[in-house]
Coordinates of all heavy atoms in Angstrom, one line a residue:
S21 N -5.2 -49.5 11.3 CA -6.1 -48.7 10.6 C -5.5 -47.3 10.5 O -4.9 -46.8 11.4 CB -7.5 -48.6 11.2 OG -7.5 -47.9 12.4
D22 N -5.7 -46.6 9.4 CA -5.2 -45.2 9.2 C -6.3 -44.2 9.7 O -7.4 -44.2 9.3 CB -4.9 -45.0 7.7 CG -4.3 -43.6 7.4 OD1 -3.7 -43.1 8.4 OD2 -4.5 -43.1 6.3
D23 N -5.8 -43.4 10.7 CA -6.8 -42.5 11.3 C -6.6 -41.1 10.6 O -7.1 -40.1 11.2 CB -6.5 -42.4 12.8 CG -5.1 -41.9 13.1 OD1 -4.3 -41.7 12.2 OD2 -4.9 -41.7 14.3
G24 N -5.9 -41.0 9.5 CA -5.8 -39.7 8.8 C -4.7 -38.9 9.4 O -4.5 -37.7 9.1
G25 N -3.9 -39.5 10.4 CA -2.8 -38.7 11.0 C -1.8 -38.2 10.0 O -1.2 -37.2 10.3
G26 N -1.6 -38.9 8.9 CA -0.7 -38.5 7.9 C -1.0 -37.1 7.3 O -0.2 -36.3 7.1
I27 N -2.3 -36.9 7.1 CA -2.8 -35.6 6.6 C -2.6 -34.5 7.7 O -2.1 -33.5 7.3 CB -4.3 -35.7 6.2 CG1 -4.4 -36.7 5.0 CG2 -4.8 -34.4 5.9 CD1 -5.9 -37.1 4.7
A28 N -2.9 -34.8 8.9 CA -2.7 -33.9 10.0 C -1.2 -33.5 10.1 O -0.9 -32.3 10.2 CB -3.2 -34.4 11.3
S29 N -0.3 -34.4 10.0 CA 1.1 -34.1 10.1 C 1.6 -33.3 8.9 O 2.4 -32.4 9.1 CB 1.9 -35.3 10.3 OG 1.9 -36.2 9.2
M30 N 1.0 -33.6 7.7 CA 1.3 -32.7 6.5 C 0.9 -31.3 6.8 O 1.6 -30.4 6.4 CB 0.7 -33.3 5.3 CG 1.4 -34.6 4.7 SD 3.1 -34.3 4.3 CE 2.9 -33.3 2.8
D31 N -0.3 -31.2 7.3 CA -0.9 -29.8 7.6 C 0.0 -29.1 8.6 O 0.3 -27.9 8.5 CB -2.3 -29.9 8.2 CG -3.3 -30.2 7.1 OD1 -3.0 -30.1 5.9 OD2 -4.5 -30.5 7.4
S32 N 0.5 -29.8 9.6 CA 1.3 -29.2 10.6 C 2.7 -28.8 10.1 O 3.2 -27.8 10.4 CB 1.5 -30.0 11.9 OG 2.1 -31.3 11.6
I33 N 3.2 -29.6 9.1 CA 4.4 -29.2 8.4 C 4.2 -27.9 7.6 O 5.0 -27.0 7.6 CB 5.0 -30.4 7.6 CG1 5.4 -31.5 8.4 CG2 6.1 -29.9 6.6 CD1 5.7 -32.8 7.7
K34 N 3.1 -27.9 6.9 CA 2.8 -26.7 6.1 C 2.6 -25.5 7.0 O 3.1 -24.4 6.7 CB 1.4 -26.9 5.3 CG 1.6 -27.5 4.0 CD 0.2 -27.5 3.3 CE 0.3 -28.2 1.9 NZ -1.0 -28.3 1.3
E35 N 1.9 -25.7 8.1 CA 1.7 -24.6 9.1 C 3.1 -24.1 9.6 O 3.3 -22.9 9.7 CB 0.9 -25.0 10.3 CG -0.6 -24.9 10.0 CD -1.4 -25.3 11.2 OE1 -1.0 -24.9 12.3 OE2 -2.5 -25.9 11.0
A36 N 4.0 -25.0 9.9 CA 5.3 -24.6 10.4 C 6.1 -23.8 9.4 O 6.7 -22.8 9.7 CB 6.1 -25.8 10.9
K37 N 6.0 -24.2 8.1 CA 6.7 -23.5 7.0 C 6.1 -22.1 6.9 O 6.8 -21.2 6.7 CB 6.6 -24.3 5.7 CG 7.5 -25.5 5.7 CD 7.4 -26.2 4.3 CE 8.4 -27.4 4.3 NZ 8.3 -28.1 3.0
M38 N 4.7 -22.1 6.9 CA 4.1 -20.8 6.7 C 4.4 -19.8 7.9 O 4.7 -18.6 7.7 CB 2.5 -20.9 6.7 CG 2.0 -21.5 5.4 SD 2.4 -20.5 3.9 CE 1.5 -19.0 4.3
L39 N 4.5 -20.4 9.1 CA 4.8 -19.5 10.2 C 6.2 -19.0 10.1 O 6.5 -17.8 10.4 CB 4.7 -20.4 11.5 CG 4.8 -19.6 12.8 CD1 3.8 -18.5 12.9 CD2 4.7 -20.5 14.0
K40 N 7.2 -19.9 9.6 CA 8.5 -19.5 9.4 C 8.6 -18.3 8.4 O 9.3 -17.4 8.6 CB 9.4 -20.7 9.0 CG 10.8 -20.4 8.8 CD 11.6 -21.6 8.3 CE 13.0 -21.3 8.0 NZ 13.7 -22.5 7.3
I41 N 7.8 -18.5 7.3 CA 7.8 -17.4 6.3 C 7.3 -16.1 6.8 O 7.8 -15.0 6.6 CB 7.0 -17.9 5.0 CG1 7.8 -19.0 4.3 CG2 6.7 -16.7 4.1 CD1 7.0 -19.7 3.2
V42 N 6.2 -16.2 7.6 CA 5.6 -15.0 8.2 C 6.6 -14.3 9.1 O 6.9 -13.1 9.1 CB 4.3 -15.3 8.9 CG1 3.8 -14.1 9.8 CG2 3.2 -15.7 8.0
K43 N 7.3 -15.1 10.0 CA 8.3 -14.6 10.9 C 9.4 -13.9 10.2 O 9.9 -12.8 10.5 CB 8.8 -15.7 11.9 CG 7.9 -16.1 12.9 CD 8.5 -17.1 13.8 CE 7.6 -17.5 15.0 NZ 8.2 -18.6 15.8
Q44 N 9.9 -14.6 9.1 CA 11.0 -14.0 8.4 C 10.6 -12.7 7.6 O 11.4 -11.7 7.6 CB 11.6 -15.0 7.3 CG 12.4 -16.1 7.9 CD 12.9 -17.1 6.9 OE1 12.3 -17.3 5.9 NE2 13.9 -17.8 7.3
T45 N 9.4 -12.7 7.1 CA 8.8 -11.5 6.5 C 8.8 -10.3 7.4 O 9.2 -9.2 7.1 CB 7.4 -11.8 5.9 OG1 7.5 -12.9 5.0 CG2 6.9 -10.6 5.1
V46 N 8.3 -10.6 8.6 CA 8.3 -9.5 9.6 C 9.7 -9.0 10.0 O 9.9 -7.8 10.0 CB 7.5 -10.0 10.9 CG1 7.6 -9.0 12.0 CG2 6.0 -10.3 10.6
E47 N 10.6 -10.0 10.3 CA 11.9 -9.6 10.6 C 12.6 -8.8 9.5 O 13.2 -7.8 9.8 CB 12.7 -10.9 10.9 CG 14.1 -10.6 11.5 CD 14.9 -11.9 11.9 OE1 14.4 -13.0 11.7 OE2 16.1 -11.7 12.3
I48 N 12.5 -9.2 8.3 CA 13.1 -8.5 7.2 C 12.5 -7.2 7.0 O 13.2 -6.2 6.8 CB 13.0 -9.4 5.9 CG1 13.9 -10.6 6.0 CG2 13.3 -8.6 4.7 CD1 13.6 -11.7 5.0
T49 N 11.2 -7.1 7.1 CA 10.5 -5.8 6.9 C 10.9 -4.8 8.0 O 11.2 -3.6 7.6 CB 8.9 -6.0 6.9 OG1 8.6 -6.9 5.9 CG2 8.2 -4.7 6.7
L50 N 11.0 -5.2 9.2 CA 11.4 -4.4 10.3 C 12.8 -3.9 10.1 O 13.1 -2.7 10.3 CB 11.2 -5.0 11.7 CG 9.8 -5.3 12.1 CD1 9.8 -6.1 13.4 CD2 9.1 -4.0 12.3
L51 N 13.7 -4.8 9.7 CA 15.1 -4.4 9.4 C 15.2 -3.4 8.3 O 15.9 -2.4 8.4 CB 15.9 -5.7 9.1 CG 17.4 -5.6 9.1 CD1 17.9 -5.1 10.4 CD2 17.9 -7.0 8.8
L52 N 14.4 -3.6 7.2 CA 14.4 -2.7 6.1 C 13.8 -1.3 6.4 O 14.3 -0.3 6.0 CB 13.7 -3.3 4.9 CG 14.4 -4.5 4.2 CD1 13.4 -5.1 3.1 CD2 15.7 -4.0 3.5
Q53 N 12.8 -1.3 7.3 CA 12.2 -0.1 7.7 C 13.2 0.7 8.5 O 13.3 2.0 8.4 CB 11.0 -0.3 8.6 CG 9.8 -0.6 7.7 CD 8.5 -0.8 8.5 OE1 8.5 -1.3 9.6 NE2 7.4 -0.4 8.0
K54 N 14.1 0.0 9.3 CA 15.1 0.7 10.0 C 16.2 1.3 9.1 O 16.6 2.4 9.2 CB 15.8 -0.3 11.0 CG 16.7 0.3 12.0 CD 17.2 -0.8 13.0 CE 18.3 -0.3 13.8 NZ 18.9 -1.4 14.6
I55 N 16.6 0.5 8.1 CA 17.6 0.9 7.1 C 17.1 2.1 6.3 O 17.8 3.0 6.0 CB 18.0 -0.3 6.2 CG1 18.7 -1.4 7.0 CG2 18.8 0.2 5.0 CD1 18.9 -2.7 6.3
F56 N 15.8 2.0 5.8 CA 15.2 3.0 5.0 C 14.5 4.1 5.8 O 13.7 4.9 5.2 CB 14.3 2.4 3.9 CG 15.0 1.6 2.9 CD1 14.7 0.2 2.7 CD2 16.0 2.2 2.1 CE1 15.4 -0.5 1.8 CE2 16.6 1.4 1.1 CZ 16.4 0.1 0.9
E57 N 14.8 4.1 7.1 CA 14.3 5.1 8.0 C 12.8 5.3 7.9 O 12.2 6.4 7.8 CB 15.0 6.5 7.8 CG 16.5 6.3 8.1 CD 17.3 7.5 7.7 OE1 16.8 8.4 6.9 OE2 18.5 7.6 8.1
G58 N 12.0 4.2 7.9 CA 10.6 4.2 7.9 C 9.9 4.6 6.6 O 8.7 4.8 6.5
E59 N 10.7 4.7 5.5 CA 10.1 5.1 4.2 C 9.6 3.8 3.5 O 10.3 3.1 2.8 CB 11.1 5.8 3.3 CG 11.5 7.2 3.9 CD 12.3 8.0 2.9 OE1 11.9 8.0 1.7 OE2 13.3 8.5 3.4
N60 N 8.3 3.5 3.8 CA 7.7 2.2 3.3 C 7.8 2.0 1.8 O 7.8 0.9 1.3 CB 6.3 2.1 3.8 CG 6.2 1.9 5.3 OD1 7.1 1.2 5.9 ND2 5.2 2.4 6.0
D61 N 7.7 3.1 1.0 CA 7.8 3.0 -0.4 C 9.2 2.4 -0.8 O 9.2 1.6 -1.8 CB 7.5 4.3 -1.1 CG 8.4 5.5 -0.7 OD1 8.9 5.4 0.5 OD2 8.5 6.4 -1.5
K62 N 10.2 2.8 -0.1 CA 11.5 2.3 -0.4 C 11.6 0.8 0.0 O 12.3 0.0 -0.7 CB 12.6 3.1 0.3 CG 12.8 4.5 -0.3 CD 14.0 5.2 0.3 CE 14.2 6.6 -0.3 NZ 15.3 7.3 0.4
V63 N 11.0 0.5 1.1 CA 11.0 -0.9 1.6 C 10.3 -1.8 0.5 O 10.8 -2.8 0.1 CB 10.3 -1.1 2.9 CG1 10.1 -2.5 3.3 CG2 11.1 -0.3 4.0
H64 N 9.1 -1.3 0.1 CA 8.4 -2.1 -0.9 C 9.1 -2.2 -2.2 O 9.2 -3.3 -2.8 CB 7.0 -1.3 -1.2 CG 6.2 -2.0 -2.2 ND1 6.1 -1.6 -3.5 CD2 5.3 -3.1 -2.1 CE1 5.3 -2.4 -4.2 NE2 4.8 -3.3 -3.3
F65 N 9.7 -1.1 -2.7 CA 10.5 -1.1 -3.9 C 11.6 -2.1 -3.8 O 11.9 -2.9 -4.7 CB 11.1 0.3 -4.2 CG 11.9 0.3 -5.5 CD1 11.2 0.4 -6.7 CD2 13.3 0.3 -5.5 CE1 12.0 0.5 -7.9 CE2 14.0 0.4 -6.7 CZ 13.3 0.5 -7.9
W66 N 12.4 -2.1 -2.7 CA 13.5 -3.1 -2.5 C 13.0 -4.5 -2.6 O 13.6 -5.4 -3.2 CB 14.3 -2.8 -1.2 CG 15.6 -3.5 -1.2 CD1 16.8 -3.1 -1.7 CD2 15.8 -4.8 -0.6 NE1 17.7 -4.1 -1.5 CE2 17.2 -5.1 -0.8 CE3 15.0 -5.7 0.0 CZ2 17.7 -6.3 -0.4 CZ3 15.6 -6.9 0.5 CH2 16.9 -7.2 0.2
L67 N 11.9 -4.8 -1.9 CA 11.4 -6.1 -1.8 C 10.9 -6.7 -3.1 O 10.9 -7.9 -3.4 CB 10.3 -6.2 -0.8 CG 10.7 -6.2 0.7 CD1 9.5 -6.0 1.6 CD2 11.5 -7.5 1.1
T68 N 10.4 -5.8 -4.0 CA 9.7 -6.2 -5.2 C 10.5 -6.0 -6.5 O 10.0 -6.1 -7.6 CB 8.4 -5.5 -5.3 OG1 8.5 -4.1 -5.3 CG2 7.4 -5.9 -4.2
T69 N 11.8 -5.6 -6.3 CA 12.7 -5.3 -7.5 C 13.6 -6.5 -7.7 O 14.2 -7.0 -6.7 CB 13.5 -4.0 -7.3 OG1 12.6 -2.9 -7.1 CG2 14.4 -3.8 -8.4
M70 N 13.7 -7.0 -8.9 CA 14.6 -8.1 -9.2 C 16.0 -7.7 -8.8 O 16.5 -6.6 -9.0 CB 14.6 -8.4 -10.7 CG 13.4 -9.1 -11.2 SD 13.5 -9.8 -12.9 CE 14.4 -8.6 -13.8
N71 N 16.7 -8.7 -8.2 CA 18.0 -8.5 -7.7 C 19.0 -9.5 -8.2 O 18.7 -10.7 -7.9 CB 17.9 -8.5 -6.1 CG 19.2 -8.0 -5.4 OD1 20.3 -8.4 -5.8 ND2 19.0 -7.3 -4.3
L72 N 20.0 -9.1 -8.8 CA 21.0 -10.1 -9.4 C 21.7 -10.9 -8.3 O 22.1 -12.1 -8.5 CB 22.0 -9.4 -10.2 CG 21.5 -8.8 -11.5 CD1 22.6 -8.1 -12.3 CD2 20.9 -9.8 -12.4
N73 N 21.7 -10.4 -7.1 CA 22.3 -11.1 -5.9 C 21.4 -12.3 -5.6 O 21.9 -13.3 -4.9 CB 22.4 -10.2 -4.7 CG 23.5 -9.2 -4.9 OD1 24.6 -9.4 -5.0 ND2 23.0 -7.9 -5.0
F74 N 20.2 -12.3 -6.0 CA 19.2 -13.4 -5.8 C 18.9 -14.1 -7.1 O 17.7 -14.6 -7.3 CB 18.0 -12.9 -5.0 CG 18.3 -12.2 -3.8 CD1 17.7 -10.9 -3.5 CD2 19.1 -12.8 -2.8 CE1 18.0 -10.3 -2.3 CE2 19.4 -12.1 -1.6 CZ 18.8 -10.8 -1.4
G75 N 19.8 -14.2 -8.0 CA 19.6 -14.9 -9.2 C 18.6 -14.2 -10.1 O 17.9 -14.9 -10.9
G76 N 18.4 -12.9 -9.9 CA 17.4 -12.2 -10.7 C 16.0 -12.2 -10.2 O 15.1 -11.7 -10.7
S77 N 15.8 -12.9 -9.1 CA 14.5 -13.0 -8.4 C 14.3 -11.8 -7.5 O 15.3 -11.0 -7.3 CB 14.5 -14.3 -7.5 OG 13.2 -14.4 -6.9
T78 N 13.1 -11.5 -7.1 CA 12.9 -10.4 -6.1 C 13.1 -11.0 -4.7 O 12.9 -12.2 -4.5 CB 11.5 -9.9 -6.2 OG1 10.6 -10.8 -5.8 CG2 11.2 -9.4 -7.7
P79 N 13.6 -10.2 -3.8 CA 13.7 -10.6 -2.4 C 12.3 -11.2 -1.9 O 12.3 -12.2 -1.2 CB 14.1 -9.4 -1.6 CG 14.8 -8.5 -2.7 CD 14.1 -8.8 -4.0
L80 N 11.2 -10.6 -2.3 CA 9.9 -11.0 -1.8 C 9.6 -12.5 -2.3 O 9.1 -13.3 -1.5 CB 8.8 -10.1 -2.2 CG 7.4 -10.3 -1.7 CD1 7.5 -10.3 -0.1 CD2 6.4 -9.3 -2.2
K81 N 10.0 -12.7 -3.5 CA 9.7 -14.1 -4.1 C 10.6 -15.1 -3.3 O 10.1 -16.2 -3.0 CB 10.1 -14.1 -5.6 CG 9.7 -15.4 -6.2 CD 9.4 -15.3 -7.7 CE 8.1 -14.6 -7.9 NZ 7.5 -14.7 -9.2
L82 N 11.8 -14.8 -3.0 CA 12.7 -15.7 -2.2 C 12.0 -15.9 -0.9 O 12.0 -17.1 -0.4 CB 14.0 -15.0 -2.1 CG 15.3 -15.8 -2.5 CD1 15.1 -16.2 -4.0 CD2 16.5 -15.0 -2.3
I83 N 11.6 -14.9 -0.2 CA 10.9 -15.1 1.1 C 9.7 -16.0 1.0 O 9.6 -16.9 1.8 CB 10.5 -13.7 1.7 CG1 11.7 -12.8 1.9 CG2 9.7 -13.9 2.9 CD1 11.4 -11.3 2.1
Q84 N 8.9 -15.8 0.0 CA 7.7 -16.6 -0.2 C 8.0 -18.0 -0.5 O 7.3 -18.9 -0.2 CB 6.8 -16.0 -1.4 CG 6.2 -14.7 -1.0 CD 5.6 -14.0 -2.2 OE1 6.0 -14.2 -3.4 NE2 4.7 -13.0 -2.0
M85 N 9.2 -18.3 -1.1 CA 9.7 -19.6 -1.4 C 10.3 -20.3 -0.2 O 10.8 -21.4 -0.2 CB 10.7 -19.6 -2.5 CG 10.1 -19.3 -3.9 SD 11.3 -18.9 -5.2 CE 12.6 -20.1 -4.9
G86 N 10.3 -19.6 1.0 CA 10.9 -20.1 2.2 C 12.4 -19.9 2.3 O 13.1 -20.6 3.1
K87 N 12.9 -19.0 1.5 CA 14.4 -18.8 1.5 C 14.7 -17.4 2.1 O 15.7 -16.7 1.7 CB 14.9 -18.9 0.1 CG 14.8 -20.3 -0.5 CD 15.3 -20.5 -1.9 CE 15.1 -21.9 -2.4 NZ 15.6 -22.0 -3.8
G88 N 13.9 -17.0 3.0 CA 14.1 -15.7 3.6 C 15.4 -15.5 4.3 O 15.9 -14.4 4.4
H89 N 15.9 -16.7 4.8 CA 17.2 -16.6 5.5 C 18.3 -16.1 4.6 O 19.2 -15.4 5.0 CB 17.6 -18.0 6.0 CG 17.8 -19.0 4.9 ND1 16.7 -19.7 4.3 CD2 18.9 -19.5 4.3 CE1 17.1 -20.5 3.4 NE2 18.5 -20.5 3.4
K90 N 18.2 -16.3 3.2 CA 19.2 -15.8 2.3 C 19.1 -14.2 2.2 O 20.1 -13.5 2.1 CB 19.0 -16.4 0.9 CG 19.4 -17.9 0.9 CD 19.3 -18.4 -0.5 CE 19.8 -19.9 -0.5 NZ 20.0 -20.4 -1.8
V91 N 17.8 -13.8 2.2 CA 17.6 -12.3 2.1 C 18.1 -11.6 3.4 O 18.8 -10.6 3.3 CB 16.1 -12.0 1.9 CG1 15.8 -10.5 1.9 CG2 15.6 -12.7 0.6
L92 N 17.8 -12.3 4.5 CA 18.2 -11.7 5.8 C 19.8 -11.7 5.9 O 20.3 -10.7 6.3 CB 17.7 -12.6 6.9 CG 17.4 -12.1 8.3 CD1 16.6 -10.7 8.2 CD2 16.7 -13.0 9.2
E93 N 20.4 -12.7 5.5 CA 21.9 -12.8 5.5 C 22.4 -11.7 4.6 O 23.4 -11.0 4.9 CB 22.3 -14.2 4.9 CG 23.7 -14.5 5.1 CD 24.0 -16.0 4.6 OE1 23.3 -16.9 5.0 OE2 24.9 -16.1 3.8
F94 N 21.8 -11.5 3.4 CA 22.3 -10.5 2.4 C 22.2 -9.1 3.1 O 23.2 -8.3 3.0 CB 21.5 -10.5 1.2 CG 21.8 -9.4 0.2 CD1 22.9 -9.5 -0.6 CD2 21.0 -8.3 0.1 CE1 23.2 -8.5 -1.5 CE2 21.3 -7.3 -0.8 CZ 22.4 -7.4 -1.6
I95 N 21.1 -8.8 3.7 CA 20.9 -7.5 4.3 C 21.9 -7.3 5.5 O 22.5 -6.2 5.5 CB 19.4 -7.3 4.9 CG1 18.4 -7.4 3.8 CG2 19.3 -6.1 5.7 CD1 17.0 -7.5 4.2
K96 N 22.1 -8.3 6.3 CA 23.0 -8.1 7.4 C 24.4 -8.0 6.9 O 25.2 -7.2 7.5 CB 22.9 -9.3 8.4 CG 21.5 -9.3 9.2 CD 21.4 -10.4 10.1 CE 20.1 -10.3 10.9 NZ 19.9 -11.4 11.8
N97 N 24.8 -8.7 5.9 CA 26.2 -8.6 5.3 C 26.4 -7.2 4.7 O 27.4 -6.6 4.8 CB 26.4 -9.6 4.3 CG 26.7 -11.0 4.9 OD1 27.0 -11.1 6.0 ND2 26.5 -12.0 4.1
A98 N 25.3 -6.7 4.1 CA 25.4 -5.3 3.5 C 25.5 -4.3 4.6 O 26.3 -3.3 4.4 CB 24.1 -5.0 2.6
Q99 N 24.9 -4.5 5.7 CA 25.0 -3.5 6.8 C 26.4 -3.5 7.4 O 26.9 -2.5 7.7 CB 24.0 -3.9 7.9 CG 22.6 -3.4 7.7 CD 21.7 -3.7 8.9 OE1 21.6 -4.8 9.4 NE2 21.1 -2.7 9.5
R100 N 27.0 -4.7 7.5 CA 28.4 -4.8 8.0 C 29.3 -4.1 7.1 O 30.3 -3.6 7.6 CB 28.7 -6.3 8.2 CG 28.2 -6.9 9.5 CD 28.8 -8.3 9.7 NE 27.7 -9.1 10.2 CZ 27.2 -10.1 9.6 NH1 27.6 -10.4 8.4 NH2 26.2 -10.8 10.1
A101 N 29.1 -4.2 5.8 CA 30.0 -3.6 4.8 C 30.0 -2.1 4.8 O 30.9 -1.4 4.4 CB 29.7 -4.1 3.4
D102 N 28.9 -1.5 5.4 CA 28.7 -0.1 5.4 C 29.7 0.7 6.3 O 30.1 0.4 7.3 CB 27.3 0.3 5.9 CG 26.5 0.8 4.8 OD1 27.0 0.9 3.7 OD2 25.3 1.1 5.0

């Protein structure tokens, strides 16, 4: 008999994905605040501006799609290049 465990496991997968997105959002935001010296308007602008490095998407949209690792990698590579 099906005890609905499939639904619970789907929920836990969704929760894990959401948690990953939240963690990446926090990590990226803290890194950007450091780069932009606490100027939140610059952080917000960077996150919400279309970026050709992300196929014309905004960094925030990429993060929301679960691809925050690409944004994080981009920021860290840009820092190394400085």
